[in-house]
Amino acid sequence: MTDLLTYDLGPGVEAFSTRRDSVLPYPVLTAHQVHGTAIAVISGKMNRDDLQGFDALITDIPGLAIGVRTADCVPILLHDPVRHVVAAVHSGWRGTVQRIVTKVIAQMDIRYGTRPQDLRAVIGPAIGPDSFQVGEEVVRAFSDTGFPMDEIGSLRDPQPGKPMSGGHHIDLWQANRWLLGQAGIPENAIQVIGIDTYQSPDFFSARRETIACGRIINAIKLL
């Protein structure tokens, strides 16, 4: 797994994101994502065609790698080392506004008895605050749904030679870190990798390359 970006989410689990030229070390179950909040709990054998319209997967099956596909959107991987449950979450700006990760944590509690204070989380490569230039309608969407705009929003002056530098910006990393904290995950159990996919050529970026580009696979597997 030397060409993968790997994460430490505690013993008994493997988690990673692929780089542009990575080769998957094993199959990873992903869904046909739609920027919504539908959550699939994987309790038996399934394939991608069974998972139409889901943006988060949860499982307690050892040896089954689940994941989400991203190319600027925020991937969040969760591990409950007490109940032995993992989740993979696709949270673009729409999913973040709709608080998909909050819903996932609630579902882990309902289904498996997960306590947020036991969870470990990683926010993987995604478009960063310096690159995520947005319109006023996106700013309003976050403001109207109660996000702390002084923490996640900014209005910037354009800088010569730097695309996406001016105007309104949203920090999706911080927005999702805030949601994880609001759910009850301890601050020291949340990792933000801080890799901006728009600026890093090692990772796919739909904003830089168009939506026809490849996708990062963000995976987690119980051992």
Side-chain angles (χ1 to χ4, degrees):
M1 298 173 67
T2 55
D3 63 335
L4 303 172
L5 176 62
T6 59
Y7 309 120
D8 179 7
L9 288 174
V13 70
E14 283 184 351
F16 64 82
S17 295
T18 56
R19 303 179 195 271
R20 178 178 295 273
D21 298 321
S22 295
V23 176
L24 283 175
Y26 37 71
V28 177
L29 180 64
T30 62
H32 289 278
Q33 300 161 187
V34 294
H35 297 276
T37 61
I39 302 161
V41 177
I42 312 300
S43 56
K45 187 174 178 59
M46 301 185 80
N47 60 47
R48 192 167 184 235
D49 290 338
D50 299 321
L51 296 169
Q52 299 282 345
F54 292 95
D55 283 88
L57 306 179
I58 302 170
T59 194
D60 66 345
I61 301 176
L64 173 63
I66 57 172
V68 289
R69 297 167 179 256
T70 58
D72 285 338
C73 291
V74 178
I76 305 168
L77 303 176
L78 301 169
H79 176 216
D80 177 352
V82 176
R83 302 291 185 178
H84 305 294
V85 181
V86 292
V89 186
H90 166 248
S91 186
W93 77 261
R94 291 178 180 84
T96 303
V97 165
Q98 296 175 86
R99 305 188 182 211
I100 183 173
V101 75
T102 308
K103 294 177 171 69
V104 169
I105 294 167
Q107 187 63 35
M108 293 173 77
D109 178 16
I110 292 167
R111 190 67 181 252
Y112 300 103
T114 290
R115 300 181 306 171
Q117 61 265 35
D118 294 330
L119 283 170
R120 300 184 66 170
V122 63
I123 294 171
I127 194 164
D130 292 340
S131 303
F132 193 42
Q133 182 190 71
V134 301
E136 290 185 4
E137 72 283 358
V138 176
V139 175
R140 283 196 300 272
F142 279 92
S143 178
D144 290 349
T145 49
F147 281 81
M149 300 310 295
D150 57 333
E151 293 182 32
I152 72 161
S154 59
L155 181 60
R156 307 184 181 194
D157 294 327
Q159 299 179 38
K162 290 189 175 182
M164 308 294 174
S165 60
H168 291 285
H169 284 245
I170 293 290
D171 186 341
L172 291 178
W173 302 342
Q174 178 58 25
N176 280 285
R177 179 199 278 272
W178 181 77
L179 287 174
L180 293 169
Q182 289 289 299
I185 301 179
E187 184 176 350
N188 63 3
I190 303 169
Q191 303 173 53
V192 179
I193 297 305
I195 293 175
D196 183 341
T197 47
Y198 181 79
Q199 295 187 13
S200 174
D202 284 346
F203 296 91
F204 294 110
S205 167
R207 179 167 286 203
R208 188 182 68 239
E209 306 172 64
T210 79
I211 59 171
C213 71
R215 293 294 184 270
I216 304 160
I217 305 298
N218 310 272
I220 188 164
K221 179 177 77 168
L222 289 167
L223 300 177

